């Protein structure tokens, strides 16, 4: 009796319909909304152009500290009174930060949305920012980062990012900062960052039953007290590739595993090749059925899992592979991974592989874009990246219609195995000579 089973084929992606997008200008800001008829829950999200990319060099982590500080009370009420007020509406502030934006949202029944937006705006526009609160939050964040950085991974991630973009640029440093940058923040750093970026109107994103929602009143509440024009914008960064591979070795004495991070720069989010490039990344390393996971996990048994895909922001992107392997197989795992990336660039994808990737990516849409919060998140993508309002309505068809030639051309254009930076965090005394013997590139000791 054989234990080998044939892998089932992809199912048919379920259809979905993205709601019509409504835009209007209110009180100096923009409201972007989606109508969800009959939906009793609604989400309001204030989107500010105050992401990590706005932080001054050397002050990385400001956004993360400010995200916690805005919940420590406002000019109108202390932390306890504010918490009681927002909890009385049956909601909470959900705060998110990425390279491009700072987002604060609430989800409540429609009839409580106006009151919730008023409280949201109060926290964002007029936080108390008491020095003692700021310093306590800063110290908590620095401690959390120290604990995180004691684990394998964060140092390797930081070394890769610095090598791809340069440590003298903000995007060449960790998005949330590092333990030292956060610990070095002062009260005035946080207050100045807030005054510079959080008093601009921004965009209010709303997802709910618009027949029961007064968008003009919500916009007036969200933008009350705001002023100034939109934040200045800079264009996409050029994709600057390294001339030749190199291996950056991060020493972790006594480690029984090696943490692998491989990557190179890639195009920004709004690039016209985004869909075929995403599918190429899915075939190569973006799913459990991917080539890399099959080869490195299933065939060789080097790892529990390996992932490789394209990550994008408004100004830049990167292709990156992440995994952890036993120390003894560090070198062969690295060789096989680079070989698979090279094969995908040279030979493209097959119809069978692409069918699975198309079905999975398109099928995710019908699952993910169901709730008001998911719809609101999709609307932020339109705003941040300047995508057309019908982008999500057309996305499923764009995924399903991408053919082998398009995806293979994207793989050839945007995968650059010859320009990879290979970061290995592990026991240097054991793995250094084997890494040199691979011939993949010069081995350099990495420091932060």
């Amino acid at each position: 009796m054989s234990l080998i089973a044939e892998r089932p084929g992809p199912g048919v992606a379920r259809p979905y319909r993205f709601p019509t997008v409504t835009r209007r200008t209110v009180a100096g800001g923009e409201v972007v909304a989606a109508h969800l008829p009959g939906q009793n829950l609604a989400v309001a999200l204030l989107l500010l152009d105050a992401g990590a990319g706005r932080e001054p060099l050397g002050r990385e982590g400001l956004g993360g500290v400010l995200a916690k500080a805005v919940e420590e009370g406002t000019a109108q009420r202390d932390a306890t009174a504010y918490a009681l007020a927002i909890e009385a509406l049956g909601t909470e502030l959900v705060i998110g930060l990425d390279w491009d934006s700072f987002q604060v949202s609430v989800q409540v029944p429609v009839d409580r949305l106006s009151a919730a937006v008023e409280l949201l705006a109060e926290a964002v526009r007029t936080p108390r920012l008491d020095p003692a609160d700021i310093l306590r939050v800063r110290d908590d964040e620095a401690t959390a980062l120290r604990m995180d950085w004691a684990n394998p991974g964060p140092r390797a991630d930081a070394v890769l990012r610095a090598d791809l973009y340069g440590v003298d640029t903000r995007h060449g440093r960790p998005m949330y900062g590092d333990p030292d940058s956060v610990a070095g923040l002062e009260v005035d750093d946080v207050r100045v960052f807030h005054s510079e970026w959080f008093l601009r109107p921004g965009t209010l994103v709303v997802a709910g039953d618009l027949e029961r929602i007064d968008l003009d009143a919500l916009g007036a509440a969200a933008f009350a007290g705001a002023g100034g024009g939109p934040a200045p914008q800079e264009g996409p960064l050029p994709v600057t590739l390294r001339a030749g591979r190199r291996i950056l070795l991060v020493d972790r004495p006594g480690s029984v595993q090696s943490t692998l991070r491989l990557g190179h720069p890639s195009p920004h989010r709004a690039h016209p090749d985004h869909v075929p490039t995403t599918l190429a990344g899915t075939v190569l390393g973006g799913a459990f059925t991917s080539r890399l996971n099959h080869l490195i996990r299933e065939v060789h048994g080097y790892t529990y899992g390996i992932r490789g895909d394209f990550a994008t922001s408004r100004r830049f992107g990167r292709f990156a592979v992440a995994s952890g392997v036993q120390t003894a197989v560090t070198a062969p795992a690295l060789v096989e991974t680079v070989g698979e990336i090279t094969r995908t660039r040279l030979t493209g994808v097959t119809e069978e592989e692409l069918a699975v990737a198309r079905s999975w990516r398109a099928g995710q849409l019908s699952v993910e874009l169901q709730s008001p919060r998911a719809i609101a998140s999709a609307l932020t993508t339109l705003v941040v990246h300047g995508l057309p309002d019908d982008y999500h309505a057309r996305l499923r068809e764009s995924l399903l219609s991408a053919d082998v030639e398009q995806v293979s051309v994207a793989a050839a254009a945007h995968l650059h195995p010859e320009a990879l930076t290979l970061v290995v965090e592990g026991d240097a005394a054991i793995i250094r000579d084997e890494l040199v013997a691979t011939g993949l590139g010069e081995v350099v000791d990495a420091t932060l």
Side-chain angles (χ1 to χ4, degrees), residues 51-53 97-101 161 170-171 173-175 313 316:
L97 171 74
D98 57 27
W99 284 107
D100 303 313
S101 67
R161 179 167 290 280
R170 176 60 189 93
H171 49 283
R173 301 188 180 191
M175 184 167 69
S313 69
F316 61 91

Side-chain angles (χ1 to χ4, degrees), residues 10-17 358-368 370 396-397 400:
V12 177
R14 296 180 181 179
Y16 84 105
R17 179 176 296 175
R358 283 190 302 236
S359 176
W360 181 55
R361 288 290 183 184
Q364 279 186 310
L365 299 177
S366 61
V367 175
E368 294 176 350
Q370 292 292 323
R396 179 177 183 274
E397 181 55 36
L400 293 176

Side-chain angles (χ1 to χ4, degrees), residues 3-80:
L3 295 178
I4 299 176
E6 210 173 290
R7 179 182 293 173
V12 177
R14 296 180 181 179
Y16 84 105
R17 179 176 296 175
F18 196 82
T20 301
V21 178
T22 298
R23 292 179 183 255
R24 65 180 65 180
T25 300
V26 179
E30 185 181 28
V31 177
V32 178
H35 180 40
L36 307 178
Q39 176 63 255
N40 192 46
L41 284 178
V43 168
L45 183 153
L46 185 58
L47 180 66
L48 301 175
D49 194 342
R54 296 293 188 186
E55 296 171 352
L57 197 64
R59 294 291 182 268
E60 299 84 26
L62 273 172
V65 172
L66 196 47
K68 299 293 178 63
V70 298
E71 298 187 85
E72 296 295 327
T74 68
Q76 293 85 354
R77 57 191 108 198
D78 63 23
T80 300

Side-chain angles (χ1 to χ4, degrees), residues 31 70 95 104 130 136 174 207 226 230 245 283 303 328 341 346 355 370 384:
V31 177
V70 298
I95 301 176
V104 187
D130 181 86
R136 175 171 47 79
R245 286 189 299 263
V283 170
T303 182
I341 297 169
L346 294 176
Q370 292 292 323
V384 170

Side-chain angles (χ1 to χ4, degrees), residues 268-276:
H268 60 289
R269 174 62 177 82
H271 192 280
D273 285 351
H274 177 73
V275 167

